[in-house]
Structures are given as C-alpha cells and as structure tokens.
Amino acid sequence: MKNLLAFAMILLGGAVPLAAQNGAALAPAQIVAAAPRADWRPIASKDLLVMELAPDASGKARRVVIQLLPPPFSQGWIDNIRTLAAAHWWDGLAVTRVQDNYVAQWGDPDGEDKAKARPLPPGLNVVPEQDYTAPLDQSVPAAALILPHGDAYAPHTLLQGGWPLGRDAGGQWPVHCYGMVGVGRNLSPDTGSGAELYAVIGHAPRHLDRNIALVGRVIEGIELLSSLPRGTGALGVYETRAEQVPIRSLRLGNAVPGLPAYEYLATDTATFARYADARANRHDAFFIHPAGGADICNVPVPVRRVPAR
Amino acid sequence: MKNLLAFAMILLGGAVPLAAQNGAALAPAQIVAAAPRADWRPIASKDLLVMELAPDASGKARRVVIQLLPPPFSQGWIDNIRTLAAAHWWDGLAVTRVQDNYVAQWGDPDGEDKAKARPLPPGLNVVPEQDYTAPLDQSVPAAALILPHGDAYAPHTLLQGGWPLGRDAGGQWPVHCYGMVGVGRNLSPDTGSGAELYAVIGHAPRHLDRNIALVGRVIEGIELLSSLPRGTGALGVYETRAEQVPIRSLRLGNAVPGLPAYEYLATDTATFARYADARANRHDAFFIHPAGGADICNVPVPVRRVPAR
C-alpha cells in the first residue's frame, strides 16, 4: 500500500495524525494536529443544522451537520432556515437532485406544484439581492488571513472569522467552495426563501458567488451527499420518487439531544497562517515542486469534534 | 421544479440543449450546442482507455472512458499504460481507494506485497521527474486560448489542443482539474509506472501539478467513480476486499468492439472563445453579477459522442 500511503503527505486531515518525516517540513495535517487548544474555537450548537437522512441500504444512519454563517452574512435567509427547522418543515421531504461535479439539493419534491406543495411557515423574510454581499469589515486585514495569490473571481480572497471570503472595494461575501451550502432560487429578483438548499459536491462553482445566497457549510457527512447516485434527469434531478433520499428530520443543533460539540481552527492564529502557508508551499517529503500558492478553496478551515479534555 | 430548472442557466452541458431566453445572452451550453460541425475534432480510439467495472448492485454495466494526453505530455507513462492495457494487466484488479473531495484510485490491491503483487509486463519505462513539464510550445499564444484571469498555481493558464495547461517561462504542463487522471507514485524520485492510476473527484488539487504525472481525463462515466462509497480507511482506502470495486477489463479504445466515436470542441476556435467568455461572464437570465473571470478548471472542454451525420 505504499503508493497509497505516499498520499498521506498530500492530504489534509488524514484519519491519523502523521508522524513528522525525518528532516522534512511539516505537512498541513501535522500543523493542525499540533495546534494549541486555544487556537480552536467552539461552534455553538444553535448555529448548527443537523439533517438526518433515511438510513442507507445496509441500515446505517446518515447524518449531515451544517454550520451556519455568522453575521453579517446572509442573516435574512438564515433566520428563515431557523424558522423552517423549528417548524420541522423539512421532515419527510427529500434530497431531490444530485448533479455530478456540482450540487446535491434538498427540499420539497412538490415545491413547484401549488396544489401539492407543503405550505411554508408564516413570517419568512423576503431578502433582497444586495444581501448577497456584506459591508466591508474595517478590521480587515488585521483579523484576516489574506491569500496573496491570484484568484479568477475576486480582487482579494481571505479567511476571516473561520470562513472563506471574497472582497472588493464595495464589500465582502462568502465563496462557493466544496461543501458550502446555499439557497436555491428562481430567476432574479427572487433570492429564495431558504426552504430549498444545496451543498457543493464538486469543483468550486465560484461563478455563483454573489448570485445565490450562501448560508453555511457541511462540517460532517458531506460524503453522504457527494456519494449519492447522480440523478439521471436534466440537471441531475431524480426522476422518480423511489430515487429520492428521504429526510427524516432537520433540526437546529440545540434541538438535537446528545449532539457532539464541534470546534474550528481560528483563522486569525499563527497556527492557521502556518497551515495555509504549508497548503501553498508543500515541502513535506512527497513534494518536489511546491506550488507557491493555493486557491481559497484549497485552504479548508479545519473542523473537529471536541476531544476529551 | 422551477427552483431546479432555474439552474439550467448555470450549467454546462445539461442533458437537453436549452432554448435561447428571450433577449438574454446565450448560456455556455447553448453556445456549445450551436457550434459548427467543423469546430469539433475527433478523438482517435487508440487514444482512449475503456475501463469496465463490475456491474452495480442492480446489474447495470459501469464503463469509464478516458482520453489520453497527446504529445508532448507524459508520453513515457502513457507508453507504459498502452503496454499494460495490451497485456490485460488490470483485468481482475480493482478500485481500491475513494477519498472524498479528492481521488478514486485503481490498481493492484496487493501491489505493495511482493509475494502477492501481480508482476508488471516487461519493457516499462522509468520516467524522470523532469517529464512532469513539457517544453514551451512556440506556437503559443497563436493556437491557445489564454485565460487572462488570476490563478494561484501558475503564472499563466491556457487551453491548447483541447487540454487545460499551466505555463511559465520554462515550460507547460497539464493541470489537475476535475476528472483528470494521474499516476500514483511513491516518494520522489519515483514517478510511478502508470500501473496505479487515479481520477480527480473533487475540487481541483492543483498543488499536485508538476508533482505527479497526469496522463488524461475521464470523458464519460466519471460519475461512476465519484459516486462510489468513500473508503473508511486512512486516505479513503477500502479496508476489505468486499468493498473494492472489481475491474472486469481495461483496454485501449481500438481494442473495444462497437465503441462509440467521440469528439471534443477545439480550443482554438471562435466558438470555444465565446464559450469560455460566457463561462467567465454569465449574462444569461439567471445571473445578476457576472464574475468577470473563470478559473481554468471551470472551463471544461466539451466532449460528445459523434452525432449521426
């Protein structure tokens, strides 16, 4: 298995923290494994969404955990999602679409049929398009790690408050990296309510930045969505009810008994800066040609279950 | 299903060519659908690899078709792959590793156990690391579409001869986009023989560029690899033989009776330039904020089965 294990050097977050190679620089996963406890920040359970899909064919439970974006990003849609989760609105609905190298999407299979659609709870916000972008945080760059590398989609990319962002002179916005969760919508000026959600399961579709609301990211269980069979209908839509994957429940984390606690590696720490630099400049044993850069979506923010203390 | 169908506007290559929106600019898929026949170039069957996996649980056949890179790229490894395919070397071996947001890998499950490994055929090349990069093609930029946007990994990115490339003053090289196929290896200076192959099934791991040999890309059936269950071992390795996905056969295309013909959209055509521009600047009805750029891996080269003439 040496061919496989050699890949240990090119991976973030292998299952086992890697022993330092003799004389070689630390790999990103090693830097993360050595992070001081104080560099990890808690994620409040009220800022998590927990989606329980129906068990798989072998009876195994399938849980997807999503972290919601903090202010000032997308709070109108996130308020709606809190309302929908509190109303148990998604229970019994389904994953309805899985398109290869793009998205897995869930919501009401009958959402476009007025006679059959599940009614939305009262009080949902109608959010305007300008909320795709948040005002510039004047504390940037002090509290952010700005990636000094080229990006095809934004004048600047940065990691701030634990999130990957794009930025220009007018504002900043979350970006569509692998695992990010967004709000399906119809044609503009509709921005979606938050009832129809998708997760990115392929190469970052960054052209969606500022065109669709992002509301969070999958921090556990993305592989349960990304390994689902692709729908054979146009755009990966499941063509029959039998193909759809039922949602047992979707709850805010503080409504889920026994939910583990989660932490993320704070992006304003020296550890994170070392980790990002190691992602951009691989000097560990496997590599012969460090890239000299990394795109924002190849510097994923490490998240872990809180270890025993 | 309006929420879903709205996504038609943000997709390349939906199953059905999209009708032009009233007054809106053409979407990339529409530009491709309208390409003149002369803009499509044949892919010779001898430059294809056809991998037949064991049928899925429902008995459905699973075929993955790979296009090999043309000269001057990676020909030492590709020669080996031709030798291995002609020897039927992969038949009865398996997909042994599927790691989420990274790669699916196939080869000899016993490859690292000298007592059990399948012997390699004679005459394989030992290829040096300098072959990760090819000499600069002096016809560039005349025959290439250079993407004028930022890239974190290469001074320039371009599409030339139907392939995504990085370039600097010293040479050019293929890049690790979704679906690209590369050669597993051990630690440097080993560069791999070509017996152990992987396909990218996640966000482009561009830090591997010039560190591993790329030999081609999946042009049909990538979803059969990307939707496989993720391995639960370190690095996504399947921990039991039962989890591995057997390879029935792996052949060069000219050894596969009845193989369809394939074409790619030539990258040196006005059609391709319009398509790339539309990928970078979405003005079709769904979009409110064209990105103004696209990264090299978000301008996938369209490939199709040859339509009836």
Side-chain angles (χ1 to χ4, degrees), chain B residues 190-240:
Chain B
D190 174 58
T191 67
S193 67
E196 189 81 18
L197 297 173
Y198 63 87
V200 173
I201 59 161
H203 187 73
R206 295 278 309 281
H207 53 288
L208 299 178
D209 296 352
R210 291 181 285 177
N211 286 292
I212 304 192
L214 286 169
V215 291
R217 68 173 154 224
V218 176
I219 61 168
E220 200 171 277
I222 184 68
E223 73 282 1
L224 300 173
L225 296 171
S226 60
S227 66
L228 289 174
R230 278 44 180 161
T232 51
L235 313 174
V237 171
Y238 287 139
E239 297 185 280
T240 66

Side-chain angles (χ1 to χ4, degrees), chain A residues 104-139:
Chain A
Q105 185 165 332
W106 61 94
D108 185 355
D110 297 317
E112 297 299 325
D113 180 340
K114 280 185 183 163
K116 293 164 74 185
R118 182 173 295 193
L120 293 168
L124 297 185
N125 305 304
V126 175
V127 193
E129 290 176 345
Q130 56 263 35
D131 284 12
Y132 292 146
T133 301
L136 267 191
D137 182 337
Q138 298 303 328
S139 71

Side-chain angles (χ1 to χ4, degrees), chain A residues 1-8 10-11 15 21 96-97 99-102 105 109 112 129 132 149-153 178 184-188 196 198 202-208 210-212 222-223 226-230 234-235 237 279 282 285-289 291-295 297-298, chain B residues 1-8 10-11 15 96-97 99-102 105 109 112 129 132 149-153 178 184-188 196 198 202-212 222-223 226-230 234-235 237 279 282 285-289 291-295 297-298:
Chain A
M1 295 304 226
K2 242 167 87 198
N3 265 326
L4 303 176
L5 294 178
F7 274 90
I10 51 175
L11 285 172
Q21 296 285 311
T96 54
R97 172 195 182 201
Q99 179 166 4
D100 196 61
N101 191 24
Y102 203 50
Q105 185 165 332
E112 297 299 325
E129 290 176 345
Y132 292 146
H149 315 302
D151 185 87
Y153 297 92
Y178 190 88
R185 66 166 171 89
N186 289 315
L187 293 185
S188 174
E196 189 81 16
Y198 63 88
H203 186 73
R206 296 278 309 280
H207 53 290
L208 298 180
R210 292 182 284 177
N211 285 292
I212 304 191
I222 184 67
E223 73 282 0
S226 61
S227 66
L228 289 174
R230 277 47 179 158
L235 314 174
V237 171
R279 293 286 294 173
R282 302 299 297 261
F286 187 81
F287 283 80
I288 59 167
H289 194 110
D295 90 56
C297 293
N298 269 331
Chain B
M1 293 303 230
K2 241 166 90 201
N3 264 327
L4 303 175
L5 293 177
F7 273 90
I10 50 174
L11 285 171
T96 54
R97 171 195 182 202
Q99 180 168 5
D100 196 61
N101 192 23
Y102 204 51
Q105 185 165 332
E112 297 300 323
E129 289 176 345
Y132 292 146
H149 314 303
D151 184 88
Y153 298 92
Y178 189 87
R185 65 167 172 88
N186 290 314
L187 292 185
S188 176
E196 189 81 18
Y198 63 87
H203 187 73
R206 295 278 309 281
H207 53 288
L208 299 178
D209 296 352
R210 291 181 285 177
N211 286 292
I212 304 192
I222 184 68
E223 73 282 1
S226 60
S227 66
L228 289 174
R230 278 44 180 161
L235 313 174
V237 171
R279 292 287 293 174
R282 301 298 298 262
F286 188 80
F287 283 80
I288 59 168
H289 194 111
D295 91 56
C297 293
N298 268 332

Side-chain angles (χ1 to χ4, degrees), chain A residues 56-81:
Chain A
D56 70 13
S58 71
K60 201 171 147 210
R62 290 190 280 190
R63 172 182 281 187
V64 178
V65 182
I66 295 163
Q67 178 187 9
L68 296 167
L69 273 159
F73 301 109
S74 304
Q75 295 299 299
W77 295 281
I78 290 170
D79 279 352
N80 288 353
I81 288 168

Side-chain angles (χ1 to χ4, degrees), chain A:
Chain A
M1 295 304 226
K2 242 167 87 198
N3 265 326
L4 303 176
L5 294 178
F7 274 90
M9 296 296 100
I10 51 175
L11 285 172
L12 162 69
V16 182
L18 307 163
Q21 296 285 311
N22 208 359
L26 291 182
Q30 296 171 310
I31 293 168
V32 172
R37 185 167 288 179
D39 288 353
W40 293 92
R41 304 285 155 77
I43 303 173
S45 63
K46 70 177 178 51
D47 295 328
L48 296 174
L49 278 182
V50 180
M51 176 163 67
E52 304 281 358
L53 301 175
D56 70 13
S58 71
K60 201 171 147 210
R62 290 190 280 190
R63 172 182 281 187
V64 178
V65 182
I66 295 163
Q67 178 187 9
L68 296 167
L69 273 159
F73 301 109
S74 304
Q75 295 299 299
W77 295 281
I78 290 170
D79 279 352
N80 288 353
I81 288 168
R82 295 181 189 281
T83 300
L84 288 155
H88 299 188
W89 187 80
W90 281 284
D91 296 16
L93 299 179
V95 179
T96 54
R97 172 195 182 201
V98 181
Q99 179 166 4
D100 196 61
N101 191 24
Y102 203 50
V103 297
Q105 185 165 332
W106 61 94
D108 185 355
D110 297 317
E112 297 299 325
D113 180 340
K114 280 185 183 163
K116 293 164 74 185
R118 182 173 295 193
L120 293 168
L124 297 185
N125 305 304
V126 175
V127 193
E129 290 176 345
Q130 56 263 35
D131 284 12
Y132 292 146
T133 301
L136 267 191
D137 182 337
Q138 298 303 328
S139 71
V140 172
L145 181 77
I146 296 190
L147 297 182
H149 315 302
D151 185 87
Y153 297 92
H156 304 284
T157 54
L158 57 151
L159 288 142
Q160 184 180 32
W163 293 88
L165 306 178
R167 187 172 76 148
D168 66 13
Q172 54 188 27
W173 56 89
V175 298
H176 274 82
C177 294
Y178 190 88
M180 292 290 282
V181 174
V183 173
R185 66 166 171 89
N186 289 315
L187 293 185
S188 174
D190 174 59
T191 67
S193 66
E196 189 81 16
L197 297 173
Y198 63 88
V200 172
I201 59 162
H203 186 73
R206 296 278 309 280
H207 53 290
L208 298 180
D209 296 352
R210 292 182 284 177
N211 285 292
I212 304 191
L214 286 169
V215 292
R217 69 175 154 222
V218 176
I219 61 168
E220 201 171 276
I222 184 67
E223 73 282 0
L224 301 174
L225 296 172
S226 61
S227 66
L228 289 174
R230 277 47 179 158
T232 52
L235 314 174
V237 171
Y238 287 139
E239 297 186 279
T240 65
R241 190 62 62 130
E243 292 170 280
Q244 295 171 4
V245 182
I247 298 170
R248 286 255 170 117
S249 66
L250 202 162
R251 298 280 183 279
L252 286 170
N254 54 356
V256 177
L259 187 70
Y262 295 90
E263 298 175 329
Y264 69 95
L265 184 63
T267 46
D268 58 354
T269 58
T271 302
F272 196 95
R274 276 200 305 279
Y275 158 73
D277 182 68
R279 293 286 294 173
N281 299 286
R282 302 299 297 261
H283 292 289
D284 39 297
F286 187 81
F287 283 80
I288 59 167
H289 194 110
D295 90 56
I296 183 85
C297 293
N298 269 331
V299 188
V301 175
V303 172
R304 65 177 186 180
R305 289 186 179 198
V306 175
R309 301 204 163 187

